[in-house]
């Protein structure tokens, strides 16, 4: 049990995710009027009165159903309750006590955790009076709030702090973020579950199971980083509803804020056009990338299959071919720890800074061996190079006619940089400027 962790629980559509967004001062949890939007446990950090604690949003709890998602949601809710030390039991004042509220209350009575009954949507005086009906659940004092408008949440946070044992937190921004991205149903959640050794994320054979971007802290084997599971990225034409649209937007935003993207493809389906679109999105955002060929256990192979598959992938992803490729089986845990080692290497490559003197020595030798082609009798001279102070490797080359540097020569310079300095898995930006 984590003594600095709070879990939000309750039946569907009572405003749990809205409360999560309010307390974390974010919009990380998807909110929609359709019940069942939140499926996995969703983690965030709350700061109040100079103190910080973890909070978990969960899916709507429903008993006595055989629906595959609702069965998995029940399991995730129970795991969240086991993980937390304080439970926020959220109910809806506009509906009164329902059978599902009673069932959830029965579950919570069996736990030894502190349970705070939070009556949501109390935004006028009449609803304050109506909230008293929830004393009938027999779970003690009530905390009336409006998660949409924020009223009552200050008192709720004060009470939460009374029941937590808080410790100092490492600044979240200092911890690397590795996002697992790819098309739906390629095994992203299975990989994370295998790595952390828990059923952290829901896994089914139905594509589109993961809807939020789910953060998991990984601190094993001298590693310390966030693993981020994301919704499967479909083509625009195949995104049919609002919830799925927002899920895809969350996944794209996760790529934009990741340090390294673990791009997973399905070995049984080869490289699809959407895989290449995702790789292009990663490149445009200058994120590190490791390419994972998952479900390798399902491929009939001989001693040459991996080399042939690698050659095929590099042909399709050209010209950016300096990408690590790992053949994995997330379910059978084949080479999954190599994924972490390579991701760490790519993370360090992305942070790499080259001294100006060392950089210019390499570039002078390269330019002397193969100078830029002359244009209309004008000889191009590259005088000087330096690495720019950007979050990803970027270089400026100063010359007399930068407008005449063509794409093939830019690729030559990039290959020189990659050959002499380890930038495997990292897109490089090169700028030619007037001296």
């Amino acid at each position: 049990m984590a003594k600095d962790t709070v879990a939000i629980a309750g039946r569907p559509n009572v405003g749990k995710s809205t409360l999560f967004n309010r307390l974390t001062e974010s919009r990380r949890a998807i909110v929609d009027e359709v019940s069942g939007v939140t499926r996995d446990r969703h983690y965030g950090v709350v700061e109040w009165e100079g103190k910080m604690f973890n909070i978990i949003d969960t899916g709507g709890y429903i008993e006595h159903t055989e629906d595959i998602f609702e069965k998995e949601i029940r399991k995730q809710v129970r795991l969240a309750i086991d993980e937390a030390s304080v439970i926020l039991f959220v109910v809806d004042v506009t509906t009164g006590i329902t059978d599902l509220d009673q069932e959830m209350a029965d579950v919570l009575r069996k736990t030894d955790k502190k349970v705070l009954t939070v009556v949501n949507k109390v935004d006028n005086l009449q609803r304050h009076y109506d909230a008293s009906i929830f004393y009938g659940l027999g779970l003690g004092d009530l905390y009336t709030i409006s998660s949409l408008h924020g009223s009552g949440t200050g008192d709720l946070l004060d009470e939460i702090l009374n029941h937590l044992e808080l410790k100092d937190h490492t600044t979240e921004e200092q911890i690397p973020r590795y996002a697992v991205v790819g098309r739906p149903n390629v095994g992203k959640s299975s990989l994370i579950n295998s790595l952390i050794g828990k059923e952290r994320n829901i896994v089914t054979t139905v594509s589109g199971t993961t809807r939020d971007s789910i953060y998991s802290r990984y601190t094993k084997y001298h590693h310390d980083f966030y693993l981020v599971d994301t919704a499967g990225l479909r083509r625009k034409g195949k995104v049919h509803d609002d919830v799925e649209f927002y899920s895809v937007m969350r996944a794209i935003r996760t790529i934009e804020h990741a340090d390294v993207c673990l791009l997973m493809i399905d070995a049984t389906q080869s490289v699809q056009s959407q895989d290449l679109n995702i790789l292009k999105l990663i490149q445009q955002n200058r994120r590190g990338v490791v390419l994972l060929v998952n479900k390798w256990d399902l491929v009939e192979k001989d001693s040459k299959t991996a080399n042939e598959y690698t050659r095929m992938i590099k042909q399709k992803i050209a010209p950016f071919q300096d990408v690590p490729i790992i053949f994995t089986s997330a379910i059978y845990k084949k080479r999954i720890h190599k994924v972490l080692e390579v991701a760490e290497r790519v993370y360090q490559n992305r942070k790499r800074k080259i001294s100006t003197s060392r950089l210019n020595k390499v570039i002078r030798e390269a330019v002397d061996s193969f100078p830029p082609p002359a244009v209309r009798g004008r000889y191009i001279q590259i005088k000087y190079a330096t690495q720019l102070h950007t979050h990803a490797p970027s270089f400026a080359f100063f010359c007399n006619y930068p407008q005449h540097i063509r794409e093939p020569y830019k690729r030559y310079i990039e290959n020189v940089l990659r050959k002499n300095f380890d930038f495997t898995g990292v897109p490089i930006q090169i700028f030619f400027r007037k001296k």
Side-chain angles (χ1 to χ4, degrees), residues 97-309:
I97 298 175
T98 68
D99 292 340
L100 292 176
D101 292 326
Q102 290 283 12
E103 291 169 357
M104 185 80 243
D106 291 340
V107 171
L108 295 176
R109 286 192 197 97
K110 298 173 185 176
T111 181
D112 58 355
K113 313 295 176 64
K114 179 63 179 178
V115 178
L116 304 179
T117 304
V118 179
V119 187
N120 193 24
K121 306 181 186 179
V122 180
D123 49 17
N124 59 49
L125 186 60
Q126 180 58 48
R127 290 184 176 181
H128 274 282
Y129 292 126
D130 295 340
S132 60
I133 191 175
F134 290 98
Y135 281 111
L137 294 171
L139 292 172
D141 293 337
L142 305 179
Y143 297 86
T144 56
I145 69 162
S146 169
S147 56
L148 186 62
H149 301 110
S151 61
T153 54
D155 292 338
L156 176 62
L157 286 165
D158 288 340
E159 183 63 21
I160 290 171
L161 292 183
N162 292 334
H163 302 284
L164 296 177
E165 297 180 21
L166 301 180
K167 58 180 181 293
D168 292 335
H169 288 255
T170 304
T171 304
E172 186 176 1
E173 285 70 20
Q174 296 175 347
I175 302 172
R177 300 182 184 195
Y178 302 160
V180 185
V181 299
R183 292 181 292 110
N185 210 29
V186 293
K188 299 183 296 295
S189 297
S190 295
L191 173 66
I192 291 181
N193 287 345
S194 293
L195 283 170
I196 66 178
K198 298 178 182 178
E199 291 192 33
R200 168 69 176 84
N201 302 331
I202 294 175
V203 178
T204 73
T205 56
V206 179
S207 65
T209 300
T210 301
R211 286 179 165 175
D212 274 323
S213 295
I214 312 298
Y215 285 71
S216 301
R217 184 81 170 267
Y218 187 95
T219 55
K220 298 179 181 178
Y221 310 112
H222 306 293
H223 292 290
D224 188 6
F225 55 82
Y226 280 106
L227 271 171
V228 192
D229 190 11
T230 61
L233 287 164
R234 304 172 187 263
R235 295 196 303 271
K236 288 182 181 178
K238 293 194 174 183
V239 177
H240 299 300
D241 57 49
D242 289 344
V243 172
E244 186 172 6
F245 169 78
Y246 290 123
S247 299
V248 170
M249 293 305 296
R250 291 286 197 280
I252 293 172
R253 192 176 305 163
T254 299
I255 290 174
E256 292 171 350
H257 291 90
D259 295 296
V260 177
C261 294
L262 307 178
L263 173 54
M264 184 173 282
I265 68 173
D266 188 332
T268 65
Q269 299 179 16
S270 185
V271 178
Q272 306 290 309
S273 60
Q274 184 64 354
D275 298 323
L276 300 177
N277 290 336
I278 298 170
L279 178 60
K280 185 177 180 181
L281 181 64
I282 295 169
Q283 287 180 260
Q284 288 172 343
N285 285 280
R286 306 294 164 189
R287 308 295 136 180
V289 61
V290 180
L291 210 157
L292 309 183
V293 184
N294 194 36
K295 306 183 184 180
W296 192 238
D297 54 297
L298 301 180
V299 174
E300 292 186 12
K301 45 192 172 289
D302 56 30
S303 59
K304 298 180 180 178
T305 307
N307 288 335
E308 291 172 354
Y309 208 107

Side-chain angles (χ1 to χ4, degrees), residues 314-364:
K314 290 198 172 185
Q315 286 176 350
K316 292 197 172 185
I317 67 175
F320 179 39
Q321 296 182 321
D322 190 14
V323 176
I325 299 172
I326 305 174
F327 296 88
T328 65
S329 171
I331 292 178
Y332 293 105
K333 302 183 180 180
K334 299 293 185 182
R335 288 175 287 279
I336 61 173
H337 291 290
K338 183 180 179 182
V339 171
L340 301 185
E341 294 170 7
V342 176
E344 171 65 19
R345 176 189 166 198
V346 171
Y347 174 70
Q348 295 301 331
N349 291 350
R350 189 166 177 266
K351 292 169 55 181
R352 179 162 286 111
K353 303 298 180 186
I354 310 301
S355 70
T356 302
S357 59
R358 187 179 171 206
L359 175 64
N360 280 277
K361 181 177 183 297
V362 168
I363 294 303
R364 273 196 301 270

Side-chain angles (χ1 to χ4, degrees), residues 3-8 20 23-24 43-56 85-86 88 153 156-162 164-167 169:
K3 295 182 179 180
D4 62 346
T5 300
V6 175
I8 303 174
F20 176 91
L23 297 183
T24 58
Y43 288 66
V45 176
V46 178
E47 183 173 1
W48 182 249
E49 299 293 342
K51 297 179 179 179
M52 298 172 68
F53 61 87
N54 299 312
I55 192 163
I56 311 172
S85 56
V86 175
L88 304 184
T153 54
L156 176 62
L157 286 165
D158 288 340
E159 183 63 21
I160 290 171
L161 292 183
N162 292 334
L164 296 177
E165 297 180 21
L166 301 180
K167 58 180 181 293
H169 288 255

Side-chain angles (χ1 to χ4, degrees), residues 283 286-287 289 317-323 354 359 362-363 366-367 370 382 385 393-397 405-432:
Q283 287 180 260
R286 306 294 164 189
R287 308 295 136 180
V289 61
I317 67 175
F320 179 39
Q321 296 182 321
D322 190 14
V323 176
I354 310 301
L359 175 64
V362 168
I363 294 303
V367 171
F370 179 37
I382 297 176
S394 300
F395 298 88
F397 292 81
I405 300 288
R406 299 292 181 252
E407 196 61 36
Y409 199 78
K410 289 181 181 179
R411 284 201 293 271
Y412 166 70
I413 293 295
E414 179 176 338
N415 289 335
V416 168
L417 293 172
R418 291 188 181 279
K419 181 180 177 180
N420 288 273
F421 313 108
D422 188 0
F423 287 115
T424 296
V426 182
I428 295 175
Q429 274 188 309
I430 294 176
F431 303 96
F432 286 89

